[in-house]
Amino acid sequence: MGNYHLSHLDQLEAEAIFILRETAAQFENPGLLFSAGKDSIVMAHIARKAFYPARIPFPLVHVDTGHNFPETIEFRDKYAEQIGARLHIGLVQDSIDRGTAVEETGANASRNKLQTVTLLETIEEQEYDAVLGGGRRDEEKARAKERFFSHRNDFGEWDPKNQRPELWNLFNGRKQPGEHFRVFPLSNFTEMDVWMYMHREGIELPSLYYAHERDTVTRNGVILAVSEFVQPRDGEVVERKKIRFRTMGDATITGAVESNADTMEKIIEEVAAARQTERGNRADDKRSETAMEDRKKEGYF
Amino acid sequence: MDLLRFTTAGSVDDGKSTLIGRLLYDSKSIFEDQLEAIEESSRKKGDENVNLALLTDGLKAEREQGITIDVAYRYFATPKRKFIIADTPGHIQYTRNMVTGASTANLAIILVDARKGVIEQTKRHSFIANLLRIQHVVLAVNKMDLVDYSQEVYDEIVTEYRAFASRLGNIVNIMPVPISALEGDNVVDKSTQMDWYEGSSLLYHLENVHVGGEENHVQARFPVQWVIRPQSNEFHDFRGFAGRIAGGVFKPGDEVVILPSGFTTSIKKIYQDETELEEAFAPQSVCMTLEDEIDLSRGDMLVKKNNPPEQGQDIEAMICWFSSSPLQARAKLVLRHTSKEVKALVSEIQYKIDIETLRKIEDDRSFSLNEIGRVKLRVGSPLFYDNYRKNRHTGSFVLIDPGTNETVAAGMIG
């Protein structure tokens, strides 16, 4: 008998493909959240594999804060076109204009929290009964408790204390009308796995992930790129630094790290040596100890 | 790199969280900002030492109450292996979480406090590991520092545990190791305090134990999950059957039988995206095309003629009940097995098991939360199944309450 053995990346990929196909089979109208961040790119890449030679049987969905780096938006549009997927964009600005979301004020205002409103409105308006997300359990302590198939009530809320047990490869996506599921095919990937997988698969990423020179300001210990959304405040010094981003979020809150890693190999070395989690420089998680759990309960990604 | 999934079980205060914290910390999987965050919250709560349990207890309610409510998944890697830990709470009321964590694990670490020895909870955890067919158990005798690293104490515990475990048939390999999670003895490095111990450290064992034996590579099983029909000009007539191989090995040209129709055809090609495979085996996710045009859809299964699965509408199984409303005989439920969903009727509750004593309870025929026992089920259309001992994928199912849509039980056929 041969050596029937799969490497850890092959096992993770097989699991993610299984989850993606299960989502297509159990739901009528799923959407795949696509922010052009690395996790959503990996998820879309695996989705292409899962349904090859057919196209991905769901649209890409982007909740756009309007505060994205232009590189992100460019990449998003190009990618959707390349794989022949429909792209649905939910604009936070539309929610603000409708009055359902209210722009935060004050020094650390961000549109991060408003994304929840727009996401839930998009889900309702497009009648998505499942939304695929690139969330991973290693990212954050509340996410470590997340299921592959995560139930949301008709207000889009998550009840972490009362989750359905998930055993073996059996996923229960049954629900009442108005309820929906969040599905996380990459649950068992770690940040390192994602990088190793992207390297193996030769996945293309937005240039922001690689080290490049940029004007920055340092605010509350977080390095922010100067852009139309982030302008230096009184007393802040603009510094030219060689930086890269470890996660891709709203430009107002996504911190950069100083880095010389301009290739995937170098990034992998850097990730291996990193002493901070990738969300460690996300101002949104720093608001309180349970910031992520609180946002997730309300319906955040 | 290899992957090992393991579960940890232990009762309150026997140092499970400290052990996990130690493994994560010593393998450099805890980041500075995580450590800062838990140092900060330990300070706020007035704890004397940094409470490593806060790393695994992620929910607000868990941190407030200082208990683990739900299964948490943790990750770490060494140059040899990647590890996924299903960290499950030990209290009796959370049996369902232990069962959940164990269902995907290759190995279980069972923690014992050296001062207390083998207690009822140790037996319960072992019973569940055995029930879920975890073949490898590490008996971690913790807090050896508090018994002066005594070989006598350790030997006594190991002997008692082996005597108990010999009654559990599925555990193939028991590896006992004396440790101190707090001091780090025999966790990552061999301890200098216990020269009498000749075995390896816990991590060395986790890195080197042979796993993979739990996949069945003999009896071919391919449950169809999804039919791929591109409807494009390039792939005009393409009909591919997508799914995850649940057992055996499939090759192009192999003759296969389709269940339930019984038609025979052969495999034309096996795809893993664009790549054509020469063979495919569990647990790969693939897409197969067939030589003949045969009606085939989700819930059907491809198998081989010489070793078909069992088929039928009457199933006997061990179940663990997860719901706070008790199971009654004649209850009508939904059963999910491989890619199939059918109606199910609990035709008979045969017995329950007292997992403290392993005795059968035959005079109480209703199942309450966290109880385990044996039932007979009648299902709406035939299942193609194997004994859970032979195949975890085709021998397992969950029961769903069609009223609430909650998953109310896990079942193991046979």
Side-chain angles (χ1 to χ4, degrees):
Chain A
M1 212 170 87
N3 178 22
Y4 299 117
H5 189 76
L6 293 181
S7 74
H8 84 290
L9 289 179
D10 286 332
Q11 288 194 49
L12 292 171
E13 184 192 63
E15 179 176 80
I17 289 175
F18 179 83
I19 298 293
L20 282 152
R21 288 171 174 168
E22 203 59 19
T23 307
Q26 289 199 33
F27 298 95
E28 279 170 25
N29 189 26
L32 184 146
L33 287 173
F34 187 80
S35 64
K38 66 178 192 315
D39 300 315
S40 66
I41 294 170
V42 165
M43 177 166 62
H45 177 86
I46 297 177
R48 288 170 74 185
K49 290 189 161 198
F51 301 103
Y52 175 87
R55 288 180 177 178
I56 300 177
F58 11 80
L60 305 183
V61 181
H62 184 216
V63 175
D64 186 348
T65 58
H67 289 173
N68 281 295
F69 293 104
E71 291 92 330
T72 311
I73 299 300
E74 226 170 83
F75 188 97
R76 175 196 74 188
D77 295 345
K78 199 183 75 188
Y79 192 87
E81 198 187 309
Q82 197 187 321
I83 67 168
R86 198 157 61 79
L87 175 66
H88 182 84
I89 301 164
L91 293 170
V92 170
Q93 189 61 48
D94 286 352
S95 305
I96 293 170
D97 294 345
R98 270 194 294 268
T100 46
V102 180
E103 190 106 62
E104 287 185 4
T105 54
N108 293 318
S110 115
R111 287 186 166 183
N112 184 274
K113 223 181 148 195
L114 308 189
Q115 290 180 100
T116 303
V117 176
T118 309
L119 173 63
L120 293 176
E121 286 176 354
T122 306
I123 290 169
E124 203 169 309
E125 172 203 298
Q126 296 294 311
E127 299 181 349
Y128 296 131
D129 54 358
V131 182
L132 289 149
R136 310 186 321 263
R137 287 172 178 156
D138 79 320
E139 274 181 85
E140 205 281 332
K141 55 190 182 291
R143 286 203 166 148
K145 304 273 168 170
E146 188 58 273
R147 299 292 190 260
F148 278 94
F149 272 39
S150 185
H151 180 259
R152 294 291 183 277
N153 69 12
D154 45 4
F155 298 99
E157 293 168 316
W158 182 50
D159 181 4
K161 278 177 75 177
N162 197 18
Q163 301 195 75
R164 294 180 186 176
E166 274 180 354
L167 299 104
W168 301 291
N169 283 325
L170 298 167
F171 298 95
N172 172 4
R174 291 171 70 102
K175 59 182 178 352
Q176 306 290 338
E179 299 175 346
H180 74 275
F181 273 78
R182 301 289 171 85
V183 182
F184 302 101
L186 308 185
S187 288
N188 281 330
F189 281 70
T190 60
E191 184 188 16
M192 187 52 143
D193 297 330
V194 167
W195 282 107
M196 286 168 71
Y197 183 76
M198 290 189 296
H199 184 243
R200 184 183 92 169
E201 299 285 305
I203 290 175
E204 202 188 317
L205 286 179
S207 56
L208 297 166
Y209 278 107
Y210 298 100
H212 58 287
E213 285 206 3
R214 200 180 268 268
D215 286 338
T216 66
V217 293
T218 303
R219 192 173 288 168
N220 303 325
V222 178
I223 302 172
L224 296 172
V226 174
S227 67
E228 71 175 286
F229 316 111
V230 176
Q231 287 295 318
R233 293 180 188 154
D234 286 349
E236 283 178 347
V237 188
V238 177
E239 290 171 287
R240 187 106 189 135
K241 284 185 174 164
K242 198 160 187 196
I243 56 160
R244 64 178 198 87
F245 293 90
R246 287 176 77 185
T247 68
M248 203 72 7
D250 195 292
T252 60
I253 53 158
T254 306
V257 289
E258 287 194 74
S259 167
N260 286 314
D262 51 7
T263 64
M264 219 172 254
E265 289 86 353
K266 288 184 193 168
I267 293 174
I268 289 173
E269 276 174 37
E270 212 178 82
V271 172
R275 300 306 299 142
Q276 293 270 326
T277 60
E278 60 184 332
R279 298 191 73 92
N281 33 34
R282 293 272 298 238
D284 48 336
D285 291 345
K286 288 201 164 171
R287 286 190 168 184
S288 82
E289 191 181 55
T290 55
M292 176 65 92
E293 182 182 345
D294 295 341
R295 277 179 294 153
K296 278 181 68 68
K297 280 181 182 165
E298 287 167 20
Y300 188 72
F301 308 122
Chain B
M1 198 162 41
D2 234 9
L3 175 64
L4 176 77
R5 296 178 195 241
F6 68 92
T7 174
T8 50
S11 33
V12 188
D13 292 334
D14 56 15
K16 183 165 61 74
S17 299
T18 315
L19 176 64
I20 292 174
R22 169 72 53 191
L23 284 169
L24 296 176
Y25 191 78
D26 287 356
S27 65
K28 301 195 170 40
S29 306
I30 297 178
F31 294 99
E32 277 167 12
D33 52 323
Q34 285 174 311
L35 200 60
E36 271 168 35
I38 64 163
E39 277 169 0
E40 174 64 23
S41 50
S42 297
R43 248 199 313 277
K44 273 190 203 156
K45 291 173 70 180
D47 293 345
E48 199 174 311
N49 295 317
V50 175
N51 184 356
L52 285 174
L54 293 174
L55 273 175
T56 48
D57 294 338
L59 300 175
K60 203 189 278 182
E62 294 177 321
R63 298 159 88 86
E64 280 166 8
Q65 298 172 48
I67 55 162
T68 315
I69 292 172
D70 199 3
V71 188
Y73 294 89
R74 294 283 148 195
Y75 304 83
F76 73 100
T78 67
K80 277 197 108 151
R81 263 188 182 159
K82 174 193 159 95
F83 299 94
I84 301 179
I85 313 174
D87 180 22
T88 64
H91 342 286
I92 186 157
Q93 62 267 44
Y94 296 118
T95 298
R96 83 171 204 180
N97 291 325
M98 245 182 290
V99 171
T100 303
S103 76
T104 50
N106 315 112
L107 177 147
I109 297 181
I110 293 178
L111 269 145
V112 172
D113 184 329
R115 295 167 305 174
K116 296 180 192 158
V118 177
I119 57 173
E120 295 307 321
Q121 297 218 27
T122 318
K123 296 181 180 173
R124 188 169 59 226
H125 301 151
S126 307
F127 174 78
I128 289 170
N130 180 67
L131 182 70
L132 274 290
R133 206 177 61 101
I134 295 182
Q135 299 179 2
H136 305 273
V137 164
V138 172
L139 179 73
V141 181
N142 192 22
K143 305 197 182 180
M144 286 301 292
D145 52 320
L146 300 181
V147 295
D148 297 326
Y149 298 105
S150 155
Q151 181 179 9
E152 207 187 328
V153 171
Y154 171 75
D155 284 346
E156 213 169 280
I157 292 171
V158 172
T159 307
E160 190 186 347
Y161 185 78
R162 283 196 190 278
F164 169 77
S166 64
R167 292 155 65 196
L168 306 169
N170 294 331
I171 299 173
V172 184
N173 166 14
I174 298 170
M175 193 266 188
V177 51
I179 63 167
S180 164
L182 197 66
E183 304 294 332
D185 292 294
N186 286 335
V187 177
V188 172
D189 299 312
K190 283 269 321 237
S191 169
T192 50
Q193 305 283 349
M194 291 174 272
D195 292 337
W196 48 264
Y197 172 68
E198 286 169 355
S200 50
S201 74
L202 173 63
L203 184 64
Y204 181 89
H205 182 67
L206 295 176
E207 283 183 314
N208 291 287
V209 62
H210 173 78
V211 289
E214 40 283 286
E215 293 293 350
N216 179 326
H217 293 307
V218 179
Q219 291 156 318
R221 307 283 183 261
F222 184 66
V224 175
Q225 191 186 4
W226 174 256
V227 182
I228 294 178
R229 299 186 60 200
Q231 298 177 324
S232 61
N233 292 332
E234 196 187 341
F235 296 96
H236 194 71
D237 295 319
F238 187 97
R239 273 178 86 225
F241 302 98
R244 198 168 186 189
I245 294 168
V249 180
F250 291 86
K251 297 186 172 101
D254 280 355
E255 191 173 270
V256 286
V257 179
I258 293 163
L259 297 175
S261 68
F263 286 121
T264 301
T265 180
S266 53
I267 298 172
K268 197 166 163 182
K269 282 178 178 168
I270 303 176
Y271 293 92
Q272 196 174 40
D273 56 273
E274 290 138 281
T275 318
E276 288 180 28
L277 299 180
E278 283 171 24
E279 60 179 4
F281 52 91
Q284 285 182 308
S285 283
V286 297
C287 171
M288 296 189 195
T289 55
L290 301 174
E291 289 294 349
D292 301 289
E293 269 203 29
I294 293 175
D295 175 39
L296 185 58
S297 58
R298 178 173 168 87
D300 295 348
M301 193 184 278
L302 295 182
V303 302
K304 291 188 187 171
K305 204 193 279 173
N306 55 354
N307 50 25
E310 301 197 38
Q311 292 187 49
Q313 286 179 263
D314 292 293
I315 313 282
E316 285 190 36
M318 293 295 290
I319 64 164
C320 178
W321 191 250
F322 292 155
S323 169
S324 49
S325 19
L327 167 68
Q328 305 292 348
R330 312 300 293 171
K332 284 184 182 145
L333 299 161
V334 169
L335 183 147
R336 180 175 279 281
H337 171 256
T338 66
S339 54
K340 208 173 157 97
E341 204 175 81
V342 295
K343 288 195 170 151
L345 172 81
V346 180
S347 48
E348 192 188 328
I349 294 172
Q350 295 177 293
Y351 59 82
K352 292 192 296 187
I353 287 187
D354 179 338
I355 51 178
E356 312 282 320
T357 61
L358 301 188
R359 286 208 183 89
K360 289 180 188 174
I361 305 170
E362 287 174 288
D363 51 355
D364 173 8
R365 296 289 166 99
S366 90
F367 265 85
S368 309
L369 178 64
N370 290 317
E371 289 193 313
I372 293 171
R374 194 173 184 77
V375 297
K376 280 187 181 170
L377 297 160
R378 171 85 185 164
V379 294
S381 66
L383 295 184
F384 323 115
Y385 61 90
D386 293 288
N387 189 308
Y388 183 78
R389 280 202 179 81
K390 285 191 184 160
N391 190 319
R392 261 184 167 185
H393 309 296
T394 54
S396 59
F397 62 85
V398 293
L399 293 172
I400 297 164
D401 180 332
T404 62
N405 292 329
E406 294 297 322
T407 302
V408 291
M412 287 137 282
I413 301 171

